[in-house]
Amino acid sequence: SDNNCITNYGGVMIWCSTFFKKAFFCFSFIFAFISSILVHASSISEFKTYGNFETVGVIIKVDSMNFNESAVLEYKSAGDATFKRGHDFVRFDGNHMASSIFKLSLNTSYDIRVTLYDPDGVTGANPYETNVRTKAEFSIPAPLRVVNVSGQTELDDAISNLQPGDEIRLTDGTYPDGIHIYLVSGTSGNPIVFTSQGANKPIILGNSDAGICIEGGSYFIINNLEVHNELGSGIYFRGCHNMVISNCYVHDNQPGDYTANISIQHGEEATPPFTGNFLILNNVIGDDVHDVVDENQGPGESNTNVPGQCYFGIDCRYNPGPFITVRNNKIYGVVDGIHPCADEGGDPVIGPDDMDLLNTWVDRELDLYDNVFYDCKDDDIELDGHMVNGRVFSNRLGKCENAISVAPIYAGPIFIIRNYICGFHQGSLKQNVDEPGITRGVLFYHNTVAEKLRTNPPHCENEYCLYRGEPAQQQNFVYKNNIFFARGRVYNGDMYSGGYHLKDTFDFNLMYSTRESPCATPNVFKWVSINSDTLNNTGYEDLNSFQTATGQEPHGIWGDPKLDTSLISGYPSNSYIENLEFNSSSPAIDAGVLILGINYDFKGNGPDIGAYESEFTGVPEDNESVSSPIKLVEISPNPFSNSIEIIISSSTAEKLFIDIYDIKGDLVKTVQDFSRNGKLFKIVWDGKDNFGSKVASGEYIMNVRQGNYSLAGKLYLLR
């Protein structure tokens, strides 16, 4: 009996031991499995927002990124009931993504929501929510003290006694020694202002340093002055932050290599360092007095100034600092209109998979919009250098060698949207410099590109709408909803050694060539890719053969866009600042694709291709939107599995439609069946496409349209 008990006891012990061994093995396996998932599970560990006047930038840091993650950006004004979808995030290094929001109202609070998706799992707060406020329109605050000065001696005395809140008002006349300030600052609420006593602009000259030189200062406003300094820079900021230049005429300053009318440098020397925040607003910046630049961008090389010519209109270099806004300026007559991104090709070059680019290069959040550029010997806008979350939109670009240069740009994204581009000698987007590193993340949407009509010679063989060459490296460029009106080739690639051109996307562009090129082979496309690609440096005489061979432009259109090439009044005859709108017969009308966060507010039946949202389907893009009569009342259930009911309120009797797009922007279904009760429309979607087939689970975008008005929302289908 005791032996049996012992045996039983031993049996139990043996059983328990086996059980625990099995349990330990299972636990270890489960722990290892979970650990393997968690190793790759990602999380948002840092969230940065920047609210500017009409835009917001968002940068997220994603820990444990293994490059299969994606993130969705949504936003709404604080009083709205539903979120709108922003543009998809773009990854720019080993653990950061960025995106931008456009067409926002001034001085308004917005709720921001970011949802991270990772097949390996997500940890931490998800979605991540915050809010950000856009800036109020700029105005000069009331001063604490007004100091009226007349002549250089009184100006020097005022400078030696500067205090926060001072407004130094200059009488008409010339100030030969300029304004030179070191280690003096205003404050956020009480900046130091230099301005005129009346409407006329006092003339500031200067010495070999600059006409206006501020080093180690912050919170200054330079307003309504004329700066003309042939001995040095016009306006020079070094180690500064929170600086404004407004309503000034800055012109014909020191000629020569890499001289500048306005120069911003060395953000690392500011206190605190890399604070940035520069606003350049409503100025005329350029050169009038120098040898004429001819139609072929000579004499000499295009990147060499002619005698008497200042090199840059605006030059930002040596890591000047983030948050640069250049808005509503006229820039002309220099070699490069603006170089805002700093340190082209500077070491170290951070690759797409390297970690923490922002620890090395802090230049980010550029807003460059509503400006006019012309008569630039080389580039109108030279984006070469380091920039994250650049926004270049609604500019008019005239005579130049290349309209916009991204040769190279690290690391993106750069949004280039709704610009009118004409008058270039080589191309609208320069992508061809043999520099280390990979140019990436350029998003080229809704631009109107038109080659200038030439007289002598009739057409230049090196002039194309888009040009790519030299052994440079680039990837992940996206071109959608652009008009490319060529005199020769729409796209020209020449790359016979080194470099590559990968993962670029061309689609929904309207293309046309008048075929004026004297080239022996009348190719309107010449494709460039990696050397081992059999298509590399192959030419195509029509869109169909280009589509078939490359797979690009599956929805592209070939046709005359019917552009108005008349010169806009007030600009020189050789400026090529042309209207570039189109007439009612243009194939651009309603032919574009929906791009998330970019063109929700299209008019008519779809987005118009190009920079202009035509008056034939709505109102011009530049006009302020009016209040829409359509309002979203309810979407239920959302998510849905079989059908979804959408209730819309509208104060008009016009017919109402709902277009439903997938997340790629492809039209899935147009729903027209609805019932109406007073001001309420009820629409039901059964989860099928226009051909009656069930669509897959996922996220869909609905666009409600009624007459010239539209409203967007999101639908979630879970089968």
Side-chain angles (χ1 to χ4, degrees):
S1 178
D2 289 341
N3 288 339
N4 187 52
C5 181
I6 293 170
T7 302
N8 288 342
Y9 179 78
V12 171
M13 288 297 295
I14 292 170
W15 178 85
C16 289
S17 175
T18 304
F19 171 78
F20 283 115
K21 284 180 181 178
K22 290 181 178 180
F24 179 76
F25 175 79
C26 291
F27 176 78
S28 298
F29 176 80
I30 293 170
F31 179 79
F33 176 74
I34 293 173
S35 297
S36 69
I37 294 176
L38 291 177
V39 165
H40 297 292
S42 57
S43 63
I44 298 175
S45 63
E46 193 172 38
F47 196 105
K48 298 178 180 179
T49 59
Y50 167 63
N52 205 2
F53 296 101
E54 301 171 44
T55 61
V56 162
V58 183
I59 295 176
I60 60 173
K61 183 176 182 180
V62 180
D63 284 351
S64 302
M65 182 183 283
N66 66 344
F67 314 139
N68 62 351
E69 302 86 358
S70 61
V72 169
L73 172 63
E74 299 170 287
Y75 67 98
K76 66 179 181 71
S77 62
D80 288 348
T82 58
F83 281 89
K84 298 179 182 179
R85 176 74 176 266
H87 191 279
D88 289 341
F89 276 90
V90 177
R91 181 174 71 86
F92 61 84
D93 68 10
N95 61 2
H96 288 91
M97 299 180 182
S99 187
S100 293
I101 307 172
F102 297 85
K103 298 183 180 178
L104 303 179
S105 299
L106 296 165
N107 196 26
T108 302
S109 179
Y110 288 89
D111 297 327
I112 306 293
R113 182 167 70 189
V114 174
T115 306
L116 184 64
Y117 294 93
D118 185 352
D120 304 311
V122 176
T123 61
N126 193 42
Y128 193 107
E129 299 189 19
T130 188
N131 57 72
V132 62
R133 192 171 193 88
T134 53
K135 296 179 182 177
E137 185 58 274
F138 169 74
S139 62
I140 299 176
L144 297 180
R145 183 177 67 161
V146 173
V147 181
N148 291 308
V149 302
S150 177
Q152 187 70 50
T153 301
E154 291 185 5
L155 176 58
D156 292 342
D157 289 342
I159 291 171
S160 65
N161 292 287
L162 282 177
Q163 301 173 20
D166 279 0
E167 185 167 292
I168 312 302
R169 297 179 181 175
L170 285 65
T171 59
D172 287 353
T174 300
Y175 295 79
D177 296 331
I179 298 171
H180 299 266
I181 301 169
Y182 303 91
L183 302 177
V184 176
S185 294
T187 65
S188 175
N190 296 296
I192 297 171
V193 180
F194 285 85
T195 187
S196 62
Q197 290 187 18
N200 294 332
K201 292 177 170 59
I203 301 172
I204 309 298
L205 301 181
N207 57 28
S208 58
D209 289 334
I212 299 176
C213 176
I214 303 177
E215 298 189 47
S218 60
Y219 296 105
F220 279 84
I221 298 172
I222 309 299
N223 179 70
N224 205 47
L225 303 179
E226 178 179 348
V227 184
H228 169 60
N229 177 34
E230 297 179 20
L231 300 177
S233 299
I235 299 176
Y236 177 75
F237 297 153
R238 176 168 180 155
C240 298
H241 63 84
N242 290 93
M243 311 291 277
V244 178
I245 304 170
S246 63
N247 302 301
C248 290
Y249 177 32
V250 187
H251 68 103
D252 295 288
N253 293 289
Q254 183 182 15
D257 245 2
Y258 298 103
T259 56
N261 286 314
I262 296 175
S263 180
I264 302 172
Q265 299 185 7
H266 288 291
E268 80 280 2
E269 297 175 1
T271 304
F274 298 126
T275 312
N277 283 296
F278 300 100
L279 173 60
I280 302 175
L281 173 69
N282 297 335
N283 303 283
V284 175
I285 304 163
D287 271 26
D288 292 296
V289 184
H290 56 73
D291 290 352
V292 174
V293 176
D294 63 34
E295 189 176 24
N296 297 310
Q297 301 306 113
E301 296 295 325
S302 65
N303 62 351
T304 303
N305 59 294
V306 298
Q309 187 178 36
C310 191
Y311 201 94
F312 293 104
I314 303 171
D315 181 32
C316 306
R317 65 178 57 236
Y318 307 127
N319 229 334
F323 316 126
I324 298 171
T325 301
V326 181
R327 170 185 163 202
N328 201 36
N329 302 280
K330 182 167 72 172
I331 302 175
Y332 65 95
V334 291
V335 179
D336 286 331
I338 181 171
H339 176 220
C341 295
D343 307 300
E344 171 184 351
D347 289 328
V349 175
I350 308 295
D353 298 340
D354 293 340
M355 307 294 276
D356 287 320
L357 175 141
L358 295 178
N359 285 341
T360 303
W361 298 105
V362 299
D363 295 311
R364 56 189 171 92
E365 306 292 5
L366 166 72
D367 283 272
L368 179 59
Y369 65 106
D370 290 347
N371 302 284
V372 178
F373 298 83
Y374 64 90
D375 199 24
C376 293
K377 196 168 187 287
D378 197 27
D379 305 324
D380 280 342
I381 300 175
E382 185 184 279
L383 294 172
D384 307 356
H386 294 80
M387 175 58 61
V388 175
N389 245 3
R391 294 171 287 269
V392 179
F393 60 99
S394 300
N395 300 286
R396 287 192 176 269
L397 309 179
K399 183 186 175 188
C400 59
E401 174 79 352
N402 290 282
I404 301 175
S405 176
V406 287
I409 181 73
Y410 317 117
I414 295 285
F415 293 86
I416 303 175
I417 304 174
R418 294 198 186 276
N419 300 284
Y420 295 86
I421 303 173
C422 185
F424 47 86
H425 179 69
Q426 187 176 75
S428 67
L429 190 66
K430 178 183 178 182
Q431 310 158 63
N432 63 312
V433 169
D434 182 13
E435 293 280 358
I438 301 172
T439 298
R440 55 199 187 268
V442 175
L443 308 171
F444 201 78
Y445 299 144
H446 279 292
N447 300 285
T448 295
V449 177
E451 286 190 48
K452 62 187 178 185
L453 182 64
R454 297 174 57 84
T455 56
N456 185 28
H459 179 78
C460 176
E461 290 192 18
N462 295 321
E463 187 177 348
Y464 317 100
C465 280
L466 290 172
Y467 174 65
R468 172 83 171 95
E470 299 189 26
Q473 301 179 11
Q474 77 169 60
Q475 66 184 37
N476 296 325
F477 281 43
V478 182
Y479 307 84
K480 286 187 177 181
N481 291 351
N482 303 288
I483 291 175
F484 295 120
F485 180 89
R487 304 292 179 178
R489 288 179 183 161
V490 171
Y491 176 75
N492 186 79
D494 285 299
M495 192 163 63
Y496 293 91
S497 63
Y500 55 74
H501 169 76
L502 294 175
K503 302 177 183 177
D504 289 358
T505 300
F506 294 80
D507 204 6
F508 289 95
N509 298 299
L510 172 59
M511 296 151 286
Y512 188 69
S513 174
T514 56
R515 298 177 186 263
E516 297 170 21
S517 173
C519 298
T521 54
N523 297 320
V524 291
F525 299 95
K526 189 177 182 186
W527 186 244
V528 59
S529 56
I530 57 176
N531 292 333
S532 60
D533 189 340
T534 57
L535 300 180
N536 192 33
N537 294 296
T538 302
Y540 306 94
E541 295 188 19
D542 56 62
L543 176 59
N544 183 64
S545 59
F546 177 71
Q547 290 170 320
T548 301
T550 66
Q552 299 286 352
E553 292 292 354
H555 305 95
I557 301 172
W558 185 268
D560 185 347
K562 308 295 178 64
L563 297 175
D564 178 358
T565 57
S566 62
L567 192 71
I568 293 179
S569 62
Y571 295 98
S573 59
N574 67 343
S575 67
Y576 293 98
I577 300 299
E578 298 179 353
N579 184 291
L580 297 184
E581 295 173 0
F582 44 73
N583 65 34
S584 59
S585 63
S586 173
I589 295 175
D590 292 345
V593 65
L594 183 72
I595 302 176
L596 298 173
I598 301 298
N599 56 11
Y600 276 134
D601 57 345
F602 65 78
K603 311 303 176 185
N605 296 322
D608 295 336
I609 296 177
Y612 182 66
E613 187 70 19
S614 81
E615 62 184 350
F616 313 109
T617 55
V619 297
E621 173 66 23
D622 293 337
N623 286 6
E624 293 186 4
S625 60
V626 296
S627 178
S628 174
I630 55 176
K631 306 292 181 185
L632 179 62
V633 176
E634 185 179 3
I635 303 176
S636 179
N638 196 22
F640 71 104
S641 57
N642 295 313
S643 63
I644 188 168
E645 183 178 271
I646 304 160
I647 299 177
I648 303 293
S649 170
S650 177
S651 57
T652 71
E654 291 186 74
K655 194 169 185 179
L656 184 142
F657 302 87
I658 292 185
D659 297 316
I660 298 171
Y661 298 84
D662 62 22
I663 59 172
K664 296 183 296 183
D666 295 331
L667 179 65
V668 172
K669 177 75 172 180
T670 297
V671 184
Q672 303 182 50
D673 299 328
F674 58 87
S675 60
R676 180 170 186 174
N677 182 10
K679 293 183 177 181
L680 295 181
F681 292 82
K682 185 169 74 173
I683 302 97
V684 176
W685 180 40
D686 59 3
K688 296 179 180 179
D689 62 19
N690 281 325
F691 303 99
S693 300
K694 289 185 176 181
V695 300
S697 297
E699 178 182 328
Y700 293 85
I701 308 298
M702 72 166 187
N703 186 73
V704 183
R705 51 188 171 88
Q706 187 180 40
N708 291 332
Y709 302 100
S710 64
L711 177 72
K714 294 200 308 182
L715 314 176
Y716 299 93
L717 174 57
L718 299 176
R719 294 199 183 277

